[in-house]
């Protein structure tokens, strides 16, 4: 087994705890404490892998939990949410991550997962395994008490929740809202327990609030203190909205009005906001929404390409013949004729467009159009005009893709 680094499933809680500590060390964090491990260390619905040395020592790990990922058109497909990937610093660059990724993706496909998703620590790691950036987000900061335009949505009512209420009220609401955007994903119970009761830092403040519009609850926010930013003299704390979900502009306005109106606050920042949140359009001075950066919100790796092509919706256009190469699992490569009704076998037709599976992931949820990917060299156009047709097919016309979940 030396060649594949003895990659095995970890079921024993002691092995899972060792894997957790190995991962934490790989991102320069200390071992998990007893109380936190007991409270939410691992869960039955998760998949843990370990790679061992010839001497049987744990040298690398990768983890996933089951999720349902929303595709354009609203269909949800089973997917593996990959996280906690790490290799011991003295055992890197010997192929352990590659062995873990291959085993993890194979197991996920065998379970029937249509795709895998992850959030990457570094952008150079995952493309080789077929992942592409499928949604992006903006990191924004809004000063306290911004001036709202008179015609901006007023928002509904906001009510705060305690943590015990948050773990029961928020999961079904998030699940509903995640179904309305491509890239939205469901979370498992442990994800929520960790978000609401982080453990380790018992005095860490977390606030939770739900927004209610004319049709009932339609948004929520979780916030805390932004670490590393001191209270400004006479100004107050910088808050961080760690989760902010809104069904539409009214809930966006209501939740941001609430957050930026909290006393003793100088600013509110939030990572990875959807590209179509348009908060700046609601303020007198659009520069009061300071975009401090932009990042990759979620990476997508299609495992069952035909199944994924059949599950999403397509725009109205003449079909296009697309060849998809999967360098990691060559038997998953294929050519399909994609039209408004989905994929059909291409038969003897030559491909008009070609990409690898990572490149398909980049277009799949609607974040980038095929013509942009052709123009930047990421896809190949064999027949002039094919990319323009593909733009109409891949374009969703709906909300920007967004995952909105850290995992
Ligand atoms: C990233 C990490 C898991 C890689 O593990 P590893 O066992 O060294 O990876 P492998 O030896 O299997 O490398 C596979 C390939 O990826 C490349 N690679 C590995 N880590 C890379 C990185 N951080 N950036 C760019 N390329 C990387 C290797 O050079 C190798 O390339 P090759 O196939 O062309 O030779 C490991 O360095 C690590 O634990 N890093 C810190 C924690 C972390 O960032 N985890 C990811 C969380 S999302």
């Amino acid at each position: 087994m030396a060649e594949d680094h003895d990659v095995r499933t970890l079921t024993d809680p002691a092995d899972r705890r060792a894997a957790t500590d190995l991962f934490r060390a790989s991102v320069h964090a200390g071992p998990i404490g007893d109380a936190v491990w007991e409270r939410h260390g691992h869960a039955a619905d998760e998949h843990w892998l370990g790679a061992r040395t010839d001497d049987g020592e744990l040298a690398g790990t990768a983890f996933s939990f089951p999720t349902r990922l929303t595709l354009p058109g609203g269909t949800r497909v089973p997917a593996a949410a990959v996280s906690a990937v790490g290799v011991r610093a003295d055992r890197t660059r010997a192929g352990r991550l590659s062995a873990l990724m291959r085993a993890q993706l194979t197991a996920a496909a065998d379970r029937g997962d249509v795709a895998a998703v992850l959030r990457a620590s570094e952008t150079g790691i995952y493309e080789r395994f077929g992942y592409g950036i499928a949604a992006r987000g903006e990191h924004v900061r809004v000063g306290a008490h911004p001036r709202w335009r008179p015609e901006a949505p007023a928002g509904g009512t906001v009510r705060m929740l305690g943590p015990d209420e948050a773990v029961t009220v928020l999961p079904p609401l998030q699940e509903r809202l995640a179904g309305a955007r491509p890239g939205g994903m469901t979370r498992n119970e442990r994800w929520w327990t960790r978000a609401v009761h982080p453990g380790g830092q018992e005095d860490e403040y977390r606030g939770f609030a739900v927004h209610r519009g004319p049709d009932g609850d339609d948004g929520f926010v979780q916030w805390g203190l932004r670490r590393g930013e001191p209270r400004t003299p006479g100004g107050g704390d910088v808050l961080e909205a760690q989760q902010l979900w809104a069904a539409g502009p009214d809930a966006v306005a209501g939740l941001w009005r609430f957050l930026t109106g909290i006393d003793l606050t100088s600013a509110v920042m939030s990572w990875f906001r959807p590209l179509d949140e348009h908060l700046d359009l609601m303020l007198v001075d659009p520069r009061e929404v300071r975009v401090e950066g932009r990042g990759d919100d979620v990476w997508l790796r299609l495992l069952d390409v035909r199944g994924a092509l059949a599950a999403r919706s397509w725009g109205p256009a003449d079909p296009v013949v697309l060849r998809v190469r999967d360098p990691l699992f060559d038997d998953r490569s294929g050519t399909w004729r994609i039209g408004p009704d989905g994929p059909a076998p291409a038969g003897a037709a030559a491909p008009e467009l070609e990409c690898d599976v990572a490149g398909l992931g980049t277009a799949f949820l609607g974040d980038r159009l095929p013509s942009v990917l052709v123009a930047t060299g990421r896809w190949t156009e064999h027949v002039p005009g094919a990319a323009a047709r593909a733009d109409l097919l891949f374009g969703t016309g709906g909300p920007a893709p967004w995952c909105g979940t850290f995992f």
Side-chain angles (χ1 to χ4, degrees), residues 28-155:
H28 317 138
I32 194 164
D34 289 341
V36 181
W37 176 256
E38 288 309 320
R39 193 193 285 170
H40 50 59
H42 64 128
D45 61 350
E46 298 168 344
H47 305 285
W48 297 60
L49 290 176
R52 295 189 185 280
T53 64
D54 290 347
D55 300 332
E57 265 187 305
L58 194 65
T61 187
F63 158 91
S64 73
F65 68 87
T67 184
R68 287 183 305 125
L69 177 73
T70 306
L71 302 184
T75 300
R76 290 172 138 154
V77 292
V82 172
S83 183
V85 174
V87 171
R88 233 173 67 181
D90 59 347
R91 295 287 183 269
T92 52
R93 307 304 182 267
R96 289 193 169 82
L97 173 66
S98 309
L100 284 161
M101 287 291 107
R102 184 175 275 278
Q104 186 179 56
L105 293 170
T106 302
D110 289 349
R111 282 194 299 268
D113 285 338
V114 169
V117 284
L118 57 76
R119 303 191 72 133
S121 61
E122 290 179 282
T123 48
I125 303 175
Y126 291 105
E127 189 180 328
R128 76 191 69 239
F129 305 116
Y131 287 90
I133 296 172
R136 294 165 295 144
E138 282 178 342
H139 315 322
V140 305
R141 175 184 293 252
V142 186
H145 312 295
R147 289 160 300 150
W148 293 83
R149 291 175 69 99
E151 70 276 26

Side-chain angles (χ1 to χ4, degrees), residues 4-378:
D4 62 7
H5 297 290
D6 195 7
V7 173
R8 295 190 198 179
T9 300
L10 305 178
T11 48
D12 186 319
D15 287 339
R16 290 181 168 194
R17 184 165 180 175
T20 299
D21 286 345
L22 188 153
F23 165 68
R24 290 173 64 89
S26 80
V27 293
H28 317 138
I32 194 164
D34 289 341
V36 181
W37 176 256
E38 288 309 320
R39 193 193 285 170
H40 50 59
H42 64 128
D45 61 350
E46 298 168 344
H47 305 285
W48 297 60
L49 290 176
R52 295 189 185 280
T53 64
D54 290 347
D55 300 332
E57 265 187 305
L58 194 65
T61 187
F63 158 91
S64 73
F65 68 87
T67 184
R68 287 183 305 125
L69 177 73
T70 306
L71 302 184
T75 300
R76 290 172 138 154
V77 292
V82 172
S83 183
V85 174
V87 171
R88 233 173 67 181
D90 59 347
R91 295 287 183 269
T92 52
R93 307 304 182 267
R96 289 193 169 82
L97 173 66
S98 309
L100 284 161
M101 287 291 107
R102 184 175 275 278
Q104 186 179 56
L105 293 170
T106 302
D110 289 349
R111 282 194 299 268
D113 285 338
V114 169
V117 284
L118 57 76
R119 303 191 72 133
S121 61
E122 290 179 282
T123 48
I125 303 175
Y126 291 105
E127 189 180 328
R128 76 191 69 239
F129 305 116
Y131 287 90
I133 296 172
R136 294 165 295 144
E138 282 178 342
H139 315 322
V140 305
R141 175 184 293 252
V142 186
H145 312 295
R147 289 160 300 150
W148 293 83
R149 291 175 69 99
E151 70 276 26
T157 56
V158 172
R159 72 181 191 283
M160 285 179 68
L161 309 177
D164 293 339
E165 215 184 341
V167 276
T168 55
V169 172
L170 299 189
L173 181 53
Q174 185 272 340
E175 186 157 332
R176 178 155 56 81
L177 296 172
R181 262 190 197 272
M185 57 178 271
T186 55
R187 302 141 169 195
N188 71 351
E189 200 179 321
R190 182 166 81 98
W191 189 98
W192 276 104
T193 316
R194 291 174 66 195
V196 174
H197 300 289
Q201 309 199 20
E202 297 295 343
D203 61 345
E204 184 177 327
Y205 174 70
R206 295 219 168 168
F208 306 92
V210 170
H211 183 272
R212 181 179 284 265
D215 300 322
D217 291 349
D218 59 4
F220 70 92
V221 61
Q222 171 188 320
W223 74 97
L225 269 189
R226 172 110 179 91
R227 287 211 184 106
E229 286 204 48
R231 175 173 288 187
T232 54
D237 291 315
V238 178
L239 301 183
E240 180 178 316
Q242 296 146 347
Q243 306 190 56
L244 195 160
W245 285 74
D250 203 52
V252 167
L255 288 166
W256 277 102
R257 282 179 191 269
F258 168 70
L259 283 172
T260 54
I262 294 177
D263 286 346
L264 295 181
T265 299
S266 61
V268 180
M269 77 85 53
S270 190
W271 303 92
F272 299 103
R273 299 309 309 152
L275 297 184
D276 58 358
E277 192 161 67
H278 304 311
L279 183 59
D280 55 335
L281 291 178
M282 302 184 195
L283 300 184
V284 171
D285 180 355
R287 290 186 191 164
E288 287 196 85
V289 180
R290 242 171 61 201
V291 177
E292 300 193 327
R294 176 180 277 199
D296 28 299
D297 171 57
V298 76
W299 291 62
L300 173 66
R301 204 284 180 212
L302 297 176
L303 290 165
D304 172 2
V305 175
R306 205 211 68 83
L309 294 172
R312 65 153 281 178
S313 61
W314 299 94
D318 288 337
V320 69
V321 179
L322 175 69
R323 165 121 184 106
V324 182
R325 286 173 281 107
D326 189 333
L328 199 59
F329 302 108
D330 192 38
D331 57 337
R332 293 175 185 271
S333 299
T335 305
W336 292 274
R337 181 188 300 278
I338 301 170
D341 296 330
E352 298 169 287
L353 281 174
E354 186 164 343
C355 64
D356 64 10
V357 72
L360 182 60
T362 299
F364 201 73
L365 301 179
D367 188 50
R368 309 278 196 169
L369 287 174
S371 61
V372 171
L373 294 162
V374 167
T376 51
R378 302 290 296 269

